[in-house]
mmCIF file with all atom_site columns, all heavy atoms in Angstrom:
data_model
loop_
_atom_site.group_PDB
_atom_site.id
_atom_site.type_symbol
_atom_site.label_atom_id
_atom_site.label_alt_id
_atom_site.label_comp_id
_atom_site.label_asym_id
_atom_site.label_entity_id
_atom_site.label_seq_id
_atom_site.pdbx_PDB_ins_code
_atom_site.Cartn_x
_atom_site.Cartn_y
_atom_site.Cartn_z
_atom_site.occupancy
_atom_site.B_iso_or_equiv
_atom_site.pdbx_formal_charge
_atom_site.auth_seq_id
_atom_site.auth_comp_id
_atom_site.auth_asym_id
_atom_site.auth_atom_id
_atom_site.pdbx_PDB_model_num
ATOM 1   N N   . SER F 1 423 ? 14.277 187.019 77.813 1.00 0.00 ? 423 SER F N   1
ATOM 2   C CA  . SER F 1 423 ? 14.985 187.026 79.084 1.00 0.00 ? 423 SER F CA  1
ATOM 3   C C   . SER F 1 423 ? 16.460 187.316 78.867 1.00 0.00 ? 423 SER F C   1
ATOM 4   O O   . SER F 1 423 ? 17.001 187.092 77.776 1.00 0.00 ? 423 SER F O   1
ATOM 5   C CB  . SER F 1 423 ? 14.826 185.667 79.782 1.00 0.00 ? 423 SER F CB  1
ATOM 6   O OG  . SER F 1 423 ? 15.599 185.592 80.961 1.00 0.00 ? 423 SER F OG  1
ATOM 7   N N   . THR F 1 424 ? 17.099 187.799 79.922 1.00 0.00 ? 424 THR F N   1
ATOM 8   C CA  . THR F 1 424 ? 18.550 187.953 79.889 1.00 0.00 ? 424 THR F CA  1
ATOM 9   C C   . THR F 1 424 ? 19.252 186.608 80.015 1.00 0.00 ? 424 THR F C   1
ATOM 10  O O   . THR F 1 424 ? 20.457 186.520 79.776 1.00 0.00 ? 424 THR F O   1
ATOM 11  C CB  . THR F 1 424 ? 19.020 188.871 81.033 1.00 0.00 ? 424 THR F CB  1
ATOM 12  O OG1 . THR F 1 424 ? 18.507 188.379 82.276 1.00 0.00 ? 424 THR F OG1 1
ATOM 13  C CG2 . THR F 1 424 ? 18.533 190.294 80.819 1.00 0.00 ? 424 THR F CG2 1
ATOM 14  N N   . LEU F 1 425 ? 18.518 185.566 80.416 1.00 0.00 ? 425 LEU F N   1
ATOM 15  C CA  . LEU F 1 425 ? 19.071 184.219 80.362 1.00 0.00 ? 425 LEU F CA  1
ATOM 16  C C   . LEU F 1 425 ? 19.333 183.840 78.901 1.00 0.00 ? 425 LEU F C   1
ATOM 17  O O   . LEU F 1 425 ? 18.777 184.430 77.982 1.00 0.00 ? 425 LEU F O   1
ATOM 18  C CB  . LEU F 1 425 ? 18.107 183.217 80.995 1.00 0.00 ? 425 LEU F CB  1
ATOM 19  C CG  . LEU F 1 425 ? 17.766 183.418 82.474 1.00 0.00 ? 425 LEU F CG  1
ATOM 20  C CD1 . LEU F 1 425 ? 16.759 182.357 82.923 1.00 0.00 ? 425 LEU F CD1 1
ATOM 21  C CD2 . LEU F 1 425 ? 19.015 183.374 83.343 1.00 0.00 ? 425 LEU F CD2 1
ATOM 22  N N   . ARG F 1 426 ? 20.166 182.857 78.689 1.00 0.00 ? 426 ARG F N   1
ATOM 23  C CA  . ARG F 1 426 ? 20.553 182.479 77.337 1.00 0.00 ? 426 ARG F CA  1
ATOM 24  C C   . ARG F 1 426 ? 19.324 182.103 76.507 1.00 0.00 ? 426 ARG F C   1
ATOM 25  O O   . ARG F 1 426 ? 18.403 181.442 76.991 1.00 0.00 ? 426 ARG F O   1
ATOM 26  C CB  . ARG F 1 426 ? 21.538 181.303 77.376 1.00 0.00 ? 426 ARG F CB  1
ATOM 27  C CG  . ARG F 1 426 ? 22.100 180.912 76.014 1.00 0.00 ? 426 ARG F CG  1
ATOM 28  C CD  . ARG F 1 426 ? 23.149 179.838 76.166 1.00 0.00 ? 426 ARG F CD  1
ATOM 29  N NE  . ARG F 1 426 ? 23.656 179.389 74.887 1.00 0.00 ? 426 ARG F NE  1
ATOM 30  C CZ  . ARG F 1 426 ? 24.607 180.009 74.188 1.00 0.00 ? 426 ARG F CZ  1
ATOM 31  N NH1 . ARG F 1 426 ? 25.143 181.114 74.661 1.00 0.00 ? 426 ARG F NH1 1
ATOM 32  N NH2 . ARG F 1 426 ? 25.019 179.526 73.031 1.00 0.00 ? 426 ARG F NH2 1
ATOM 33  N N   . TYR F 1 427 ? 19.336 182.540 75.254 1.00 0.00 ? 427 TYR F N   1
ATOM 34  C CA  . TYR F 1 427 ? 18.227 182.270 74.341 1.00 0.00 ? 427 TYR F CA  1
ATOM 35  C C   . TYR F 1 427 ? 17.969 180.765 74.219 1.00 0.00 ? 427 TYR F C   1
ATOM 36  O O   . TYR F 1 427 ? 18.873 179.936 74.328 1.00 0.00 ? 427 TYR F O   1
ATOM 37  C CB  . TYR F 1 427 ? 18.520 182.862 72.960 1.00 0.00 ? 427 TYR F CB  1
ATOM 38  C CG  . TYR F 1 427 ? 19.928 182.619 72.468 1.00 0.00 ? 427 TYR F CG  1
ATOM 39  C CD1 . TYR F 1 427 ? 20.343 181.367 72.014 1.00 0.00 ? 427 TYR F CD1 1
ATOM 40  C CD2 . TYR F 1 427 ? 20.867 183.641 72.475 1.00 0.00 ? 427 TYR F CD2 1
ATOM 41  C CE1 . TYR F 1 427 ? 21.622 181.133 71.580 1.00 0.00 ? 427 TYR F CE1 1
ATOM 42  C CE2 . TYR F 1 427 ? 22.167 183.425 72.045 1.00 0.00 ? 427 TYR F CE2 1
ATOM 43  C CZ  . TYR F 1 427 ? 22.540 182.171 71.600 1.00 0.00 ? 427 TYR F CZ  1
ATOM 44  O OH  . TYR F 1 427 ? 23.826 181.938 71.187 1.00 0.00 ? 427 TYR F OH  1
ATOM 45  N N   . PHE F 1 428 ? 16.710 180.392 73.994 1.00 0.00 ? 428 PHE F N   1
ATOM 46  C CA  . PHE F 1 428 ? 16.364 178.986 73.801 1.00 0.00 ? 428 PHE F CA  1
ATOM 47  C C   . PHE F 1 428 ? 15.007 178.895 73.124 1.00 0.00 ? 428 PHE F C   1
ATOM 48  O O   . PHE F 1 428 ? 14.213 179.850 73.111 1.00 0.00 ? 428 PHE F O   1
ATOM 49  C CB  . PHE F 1 428 ? 16.339 178.222 75.136 1.00 0.00 ? 428 PHE F CB  1
ATOM 50  C CG  . PHE F 1 428 ? 15.253 178.660 76.083 1.00 0.00 ? 428 PHE F CG  1
ATOM 51  C CD1 . PHE F 1 428 ? 13.951 178.177 75.974 1.00 0.00 ? 428 PHE F CD1 1
ATOM 52  C CD2 . PHE F 1 428 ? 15.530 179.560 77.105 1.00 0.00 ? 428 PHE F CD2 1
ATOM 53  C CE1 . PHE F 1 428 ? 12.949 178.587 76.851 1.00 0.00 ? 428 PHE F CE1 1
ATOM 54  C CE2 . PHE F 1 428 ? 14.539 179.974 77.987 1.00 0.00 ? 428 PHE F CE2 1
ATOM 55  C CZ  . PHE F 1 428 ? 13.248 179.479 77.861 1.00 0.00 ? 428 PHE F CZ  1
ATOM 56  N N   . THR F 1 429 ? 14.722 177.743 72.570 1.00 0.00 ? 429 THR F N   1
ATOM 57  C CA  . THR F 1 429 ? 13.389 177.385 72.063 1.00 0.00 ? 429 THR F CA  1
ATOM 58  C C   . THR F 1 429 ? 13.104 175.963 72.528 1.00 0.00 ? 429 THR F C   1
ATOM 59  O O   . THR F 1 429 ? 13.946 175.076 72.377 1.00 0.00 ? 429 THR F O   1
ATOM 60  C CB  . THR F 1 429 ? 13.324 177.448 70.529 1.00 0.00 ? 429 THR F CB  1
ATOM 61  O OG1 . THR F 1 429 ? 14.317 176.570 69.966 1.00 0.00 ? 429 THR F OG1 1
ATOM 62  C CG2 . THR F 1 429 ? 13.592 178.861 70.029 1.00 0.00 ? 429 THR F CG2 1
ATOM 63  N N   . LYS F 1 430 ? 11.917 175.741 73.098 1.00 0.00 ? 430 LYS F N   1
ATOM 64  C CA  . LYS F 1 430 ? 11.609 174.438 73.680 1.00 0.00 ? 430 LYS F CA  1
ATOM 65  C C   . LYS F 1 430 ? 10.136 174.093 73.496 1.00 0.00 ? 430 LYS F C   1
ATOM 66  O O   . LYS F 1 430 ? 9.286  174.976 73.370 1.00 0.00 ? 430 LYS F O   1
ATOM 67  C CB  . LYS F 1 430 ? 11.929 174.416 75.189 1.00 0.00 ? 430 LYS F CB  1
ATOM 68  C CG  . LYS F 1 430 ? 13.410 174.576 75.522 1.00 0.00 ? 430 LYS F CG  1
ATOM 69  C CD  . LYS F 1 430 ? 13.632 174.531 77.020 1.00 0.00 ? 430 LYS F CD  1
ATOM 70  C CE  . LYS F 1 430 ? 15.115 174.692 77.341 1.00 0.00 ? 430 LYS F CE  1
ATOM 71  N NZ  . LYS F 1 430 ? 15.897 173.537 76.867 1.00 0.00 ? 430 LYS F NZ  1
ATOM 72  N N   . ASN F 1 431 ? 9.868  172.804 73.539 1.00 0.00 ? 431 ASN F N   1
ATOM 73  C CA  . ASN F 1 431 ? 8.513  172.282 73.603 1.00 0.00 ? 431 ASN F CA  1
ATOM 74  C C   . ASN F 1 431 ? 8.215  171.967 75.062 1.00 0.00 ? 431 ASN F C   1
ATOM 75  O O   . ASN F 1 431 ? 8.767  171.022 75.630 1.00 0.00 ? 431 ASN F O   1
ATOM 76  C CB  . ASN F 1 431 ? 8.388  171.027 72.736 1.00 0.00 ? 431 ASN F CB  1
ATOM 77  C CG  . ASN F 1 431 ? 7.021  170.356 72.861 1.00 0.00 ? 431 ASN F CG  1
ATOM 78  O OD1 . ASN F 1 431 ? 6.117  170.847 73.535 1.00 0.00 ? 431 ASN F OD1 1
ATOM 79  N ND2 . ASN F 1 431 ? 6.864  169.221 72.205 1.00 0.00 ? 431 ASN F ND2 1
ATOM 80  N N   . ILE F 1 432 ? 7.363  172.783 75.688 1.00 0.00 ? 432 ILE F N   1
ATOM 81  C CA  . ILE F 1 432 ? 7.000  172.583 77.088 1.00 0.00 ? 432 ILE F CA  1
ATOM 82  C C   . ILE F 1 432 ? 5.519  172.228 77.138 1.00 0.00 ? 432 ILE F C   1
ATOM 83  O O   . ILE F 1 432 ? 4.647  173.080 76.991 1.00 0.00 ? 432 ILE F O   1
ATOM 84  C CB  . ILE F 1 432 ? 7.275  173.840 77.935 1.00 0.00 ? 432 ILE F CB  1
ATOM 85  C CG1 . ILE F 1 432 ? 8.719  174.297 77.774 1.00 0.00 ? 432 ILE F CG1 1
ATOM 86  C CG2 . ILE F 1 432 ? 6.947  173.560 79.401 1.00 0.00 ? 432 ILE F CG2 1
ATOM 87  C CD1 . ILE F 1 432 ? 9.753  173.316 78.263 1.00 0.00 ? 432 ILE F CD1 1
ATOM 88  N N   . GLY F 1 433 ? 5.232  170.961 77.311 1.00 0.00 ? 433 GLY F N   1
ATOM 89  C CA  . GLY F 1 433 ? 3.851  170.506 77.435 1.00 0.00 ? 433 GLY F CA  1
ATOM 90  C C   . GLY F 1 433 ? 2.985  170.796 76.234 1.00 0.00 ? 433 GLY F C   1
ATOM 91  O O   . GLY F 1 433 ? 1.785  171.053 76.377 1.00 0.00 ? 433 GLY F O   1
ATOM 92  N N   . GLY F 1 434 ? 3.569  170.772 75.033 1.00 0.00 ? 434 GLY F N   1
ATOM 93  C CA  . GLY F 1 434 ? 2.801  171.036 73.817 1.00 0.00 ? 434 GLY F CA  1
ATOM 94  C C   . GLY F 1 434 ? 2.757  172.490 73.410 1.00 0.00 ? 434 GLY F C   1
ATOM 95  O O   . GLY F 1 434 ? 2.073  172.842 72.444 1.00 0.00 ? 434 GLY F O   1
ATOM 96  N N   . THR F 1 435 ? 3.484  173.364 74.111 1.00 0.00 ? 435 THR F N   1
ATOM 97  C CA  . THR F 1 435 ? 3.581  174.775 73.757 1.00 0.00 ? 435 THR F CA  1
ATOM 98  C C   . THR F 1 435 ? 4.997  175.081 73.279 1.00 0.00 ? 435 THR F C   1
ATOM 99  O O   . THR F 1 435 ? 5.970  174.662 73.926 1.00 0.00 ? 435 THR F O   1
ATOM 100 C CB  . THR F 1 435 ? 3.243  175.676 74.954 1.00 0.00 ? 435 THR F CB  1
ATOM 101 O OG1 . THR F 1 435 ? 1.879  175.505 75.314 1.00 0.00 ? 435 THR F OG1 1
ATOM 102 C CG2 . THR F 1 435 ? 3.475  177.148 74.625 1.00 0.00 ? 435 THR F CG2 1
ATOM 103 N N   . VAL F 1 436 ? 5.107  175.792 72.175 1.00 0.00 ? 436 VAL F N   1
ATOM 104 C CA  . VAL F 1 436 ? 6.420  176.218 71.690 1.00 0.00 ? 436 VAL F CA  1
ATOM 105 C C   . VAL F 1 436 ? 6.815  177.471 72.469 1.00 0.00 ? 436 VAL F C   1
ATOM 106 O O   . VAL F 1 436 ? 6.185  178.517 72.337 1.00 0.00 ? 436 VAL F O   1
ATOM 107 C CB  . VAL F 1 436 ? 6.397  176.512 70.179 1.00 0.00 ? 436 VAL F CB  1
ATOM 108 C CG1 . VAL F 1 436 ? 7.778  176.973 69.702 1.00 0.00 ? 436 VAL F CG1 1
ATOM 109 C CG2 . VAL F 1 436 ? 5.944  175.280 69.397 1.00 0.00 ? 436 VAL F CG2 1
ATOM 110 N N   . VAL F 1 437 ? 7.838  177.354 73.301 1.00 0.00 ? 437 VAL F N   1
ATOM 111 C CA  . VAL F 1 437 ? 8.297  178.459 74.138 1.00 0.00 ? 437 VAL F CA  1
ATOM 112 C C   . VAL F 1 437 ? 9.576  179.030 73.531 1.00 0.00 ? 437 VAL F C   1
ATOM 113 O O   . VAL F 1 437 ? 10.519 178.298 73.249 1.00 0.00 ? 437 VAL F O   1
ATOM 114 C CB  . VAL F 1 437 ? 8.551  177.997 75.584 1.00 0.00 ? 437 VAL F CB  1
ATOM 115 C CG1 . VAL F 1 437 ? 8.997  179.162 76.452 1.00 0.00 ? 437 VAL F CG1 1
ATOM 116 C CG2 . VAL F 1 437 ? 7.294  177.350 76.160 1.00 0.00 ? 437 VAL F CG2 1
#
Side-chain angles (χ1 to χ4, degrees):
S423 175
T424 53
L425 299 178
R426 185 175 177 82
Y427 44 74
F428 66 83
T429 58
K430 295 180 180 293
N431 175 4
I432 306 297
T435 295
V436 179
V437 181

